[in-house]
Amino acid sequence: MLAYIIRKILFSIIILFVASFVIFYLVSLSGDPLQELALNPRVSQEDIERLAATYGLDQPVYVQYGIWIRDILLYGDFGLSFKQNTDVNSIIAARIWPTVLLMGSSLIFTLAIAIPFGIYSAIKKYSLIDNIGTFLSFVGFAMPVFFLGLILQLVFAVYLTEWLGVRVFYVSGMSSRGGGVIDLLQHLFLPMVTLSVVSIATFTRFQRSAMLDVLSAEYLRTARAKGLSERTVYLKHALRNALIPTITLIALSAVSLIAGAVITETVFSWPGLGFLLIDSLYKGDYNVARALLLITAVLTVLFNLLADIAYSIVDPRVSYD
């Protein structure tokens, strides 16, 4: 197992270097980060040239990439935001907690609903509840995230407020004047549900399929023949093996949640990394965009590795030697 992890890490490092160059190059094609300063009549051409020389912007792309990746590896420095005139690290640091809160609550909400329902649907195959769950899963798959977010805003933040005469949920931001836990939950609920719907549909179908495969296994018939209760058979023997594909999905869904958070945070103006990425690309804040895309690539590789390790923990029969 250790040898496999070392090989996987070495291979991942190569992938990340390739990905980092592709990210740097493609973002560089978007334009000159000093273009806006060049249009400012109070900034002289000498100042522009001095800034370009200071940050290596007058060098070829591969030289700029070398400076950028060197600063990241040696100093953990993602550079300077020319739009906000501050370092990228501090900009990103301020947005990490909102995204972690949204993604973490969404994942917990997803697992709390999808796994029990997927197990129940497999045990009660083709029942009314299973058929309803199958229908809702397909609806969840087909529902665009931005459209669902707008519908939830309209129904729960506009119509519900008009009906009750008091605001229950908010449609933008993370907090209102005064703040507090209740206020945070009022802002969090709608984007959390929006981000969770597709994941719930995916997890439910995966868990149901995995559980159905396990329920027909020989060792479950042996367990029943030994006189074990159905509860023990399902929870102790069947669920342990049925969770293996779900664990992979959990690890990989963390990255898909980031992609979904880009849209969800934009719709709800949630001040996280996803909203920051869209905002930085729109405003031409290229160093911030590069940093966020690289972080996403690192997380993708990391969660793939964690999924492989989780395999062997859940099922000792899985070996990579």
Side-chain angles (χ1 to χ4, degrees), residues 15 19 52 70 106 118 129 155 190 204 235 249 266 275 297 300 306:
I15 291 177
R70 180 203 63 192
S106 175
I129 293 180
V155 173
L190 292 183
T204 300
L235 297 182
L249 197 61
T266 302
F275 186 43
T300 302
L306 292 178

Side-chain angles (χ1 to χ4, degrees), residues 191-238:
M192 178 191 70
V193 172
T194 302
L195 190 58
S196 299
V197 166
V198 175
S199 297
I200 290 175
T202 304
F203 273 93
T204 300
R205 302 310 297 167
F206 264 76
Q207 190 61 62
R208 180 183 183 275
S209 178
M211 195 70 177
L212 285 174
D213 290 340
V214 171
L215 289 178
S216 60
E218 290 289 341
Y219 66 87
L220 290 190
R221 285 194 283 268
T222 303
R224 291 190 179 96
K226 291 181 178 180
L228 297 179
S229 66
E230 287 296 304
R231 180 184 178 87
T232 302
V233 170
Y234 289 142
L235 297 182
K236 184 176 181 180
H237 296 277

